[in-house]
Amino acid sequence: MTAPPTVGVVIATCDRGDAVVRTIDSILANPVAPDGIWVVDQSSDERTREALRPYEDSGSCVCFGTPVRGLSRAHNLAIRQVDSEIVALTDDDCEVSTDWIGAIARAFEDPEIGLVFGNAVPAEHDSRAGLITGYVRAEPVVARTLEDKVVIDGLGACMAFRRTVWQCVGGFDEMLGAGTRLRAANDGDLAVRALRAGFAVAETPAISVVHHGYRAWPEARDLLCGYALGTGAMLTKHLRAGTPHIPRLFARLGLRFLSGRRHPPARLGGNRFAAARLLAFLRGCVTGLSTPIDRETLRFVSREGRARS
């Protein structure tokens, strides 16, 4: 009988004090232990490091700080230190389910699956005053080609992938994601590049987290516009790179926007702030047109990166 794959967990945190403790405790409560927990702290003060110290002292997790900001940079930095077969990601404002590690390991029993998204269930909140983003799918689905990408749109708050997939595609695009100028779409971009490289991408409700990332409506507007900005840049990058079926994705997004509908599993505020989100998406497209691309990894190349090369 084949042993289940090992699962290492990576969490990035930035200026949220001891919030990440709840996330770590929920992981450690799983009956199947992770292969390790790596926490990257990009905070500007010591509150998070102090909260993490007991976990470091007990060997429950490996914590390290870095002054470099950006979610994708934090993930890449940590994953370079992970030697587990599977890398699982969640956010510092999430609680994982009681069988999260075991469900992730089972999701990769199909050798063709390279990346998996689970459900990110919004915690209870007053939806009249604000928003918690989420992604909740009732039935599992697998995208095996780029043509199938229209049915896959998960969140990085509940995401796992084979480490070999991350290596094959060159890691996360460090110009995408929270803490960068383009602010989002690092998770969707990795899925597109995985599909392009021949790996299947799955979504399953068997893997889930509860998301506590509440935003009052003024903050939610900024968050949703950030999603639109990053998505526009990411799709335009792949359009320029000749990634198959990207024009179809553009068309599908346009139809959803014009009809006021969203991808059914996504809980992203309905049609609020439609004009602002459309403008942000178009700004992202313009940035995606003007930013250089590494043609080998299909990652954006920053000015600093070009200067170093």
Side-chain angles (χ1 to χ4, degrees), residues 129-233:
L131 167 75
I132 297 179
T133 58
Y135 191 87
V136 181
R137 181 178 286 282
E139 300 292 336
V141 64
V142 178
R144 299 191 182 276
T145 68
L146 277 161
E147 189 175 8
D148 298 331
K149 177 60 179 70
V150 293
V151 302
I152 294 288
D153 199 20
L155 295 179
C158 189
M159 176 182 186
F161 43 85
R162 299 186 192 275
R163 193 177 187 280
T164 51
V165 171
W166 175 86
Q167 291 173 317
C168 177
V169 301
F172 284 97
D173 188 327
E174 296 186 356
M175 289 191 66
L176 295 170
T180 71
R181 183 164 61 104
L182 294 175
R183 303 177 57 189
N186 50 310
D187 40 16
D189 176 68
L190 193 74
V192 169
R193 288 188 287 130
L195 285 165
R196 179 167 173 156
F199 300 99
V201 177
E203 289 183 357
T204 174
I207 303 167
S208 68
V209 303
V210 175
H211 186 205
H212 294 277
Y214 176 77
R215 303 287 202 289
W217 282 120
E219 293 178 289
R221 180 184 187 278
D222 184 63
L223 178 71
L224 296 174
C225 287
Y227 285 166
L229 178 77
T231 300

Side-chain angles (χ1 to χ4, degrees), residues 86 105-116 142 144 162 200 202:
I86 307 299
R106 290 190 294 275
F108 288 93
E109 290 177 353
D110 181 344
E112 292 185 20
I113 301 296
L115 188 152
V116 173
V142 178
R144 299 191 182 276
R162 299 186 192 275

Side-chain angles (χ1 to χ4, degrees), residues 29-93:
N30 270 233
V32 178
D35 195 39
I37 303 173
W38 287 260
V39 181
V40 187
D41 182 18
Q42 297 178 314
S43 302
S44 56
D45 59 38
E46 293 297 313
R47 291 181 301 151
T48 302
R49 290 308 301 272
E50 288 300 318
L52 290 172
R53 202 170 305 282
Y55 297 91
E56 291 183 274
D57 293 344
S58 68
S60 300
C61 61
V62 177
C63 311
F64 52 94
T66 173
V68 179
R69 293 294 181 98
L71 184 60
S72 292
R73 290 176 178 176
H75 284 159
N76 284 340
L77 181 64
I79 295 166
R80 291 187 188 103
Q81 302 187 35
V82 177
D83 56 9
S84 309
E85 297 170 73
I86 307 299
V87 178
L89 304 182
T90 190
D91 289 345
D92 60 358
D93 54 4

Side-chain angles (χ1 to χ4, degrees), residues 232-289:
M234 182 269 287
L235 289 175
T236 303
K237 174 182 72 170
H238 284 287
L239 189 67
R240 289 173 56 203
T243 300
H245 303 292
I246 293 299
R248 185 183 177 205
L249 279 176
F250 262 113
R252 181 66 67 92
L253 283 172
L255 287 173
R256 285 180 192 163
F257 188 88
L258 291 173
S259 65
R261 296 195 302 268
R262 293 289 178 265
H263 187 39
R267 301 186 178 186
L268 302 176
N271 207 35
R272 286 178 180 264
F273 318 121
R277 290 161 85 167
L278 177 59
L279 182 60
F281 179 82
L282 294 174
R283 283 184 13 241
C285 292
V286 171
T287 304
L289 285 171

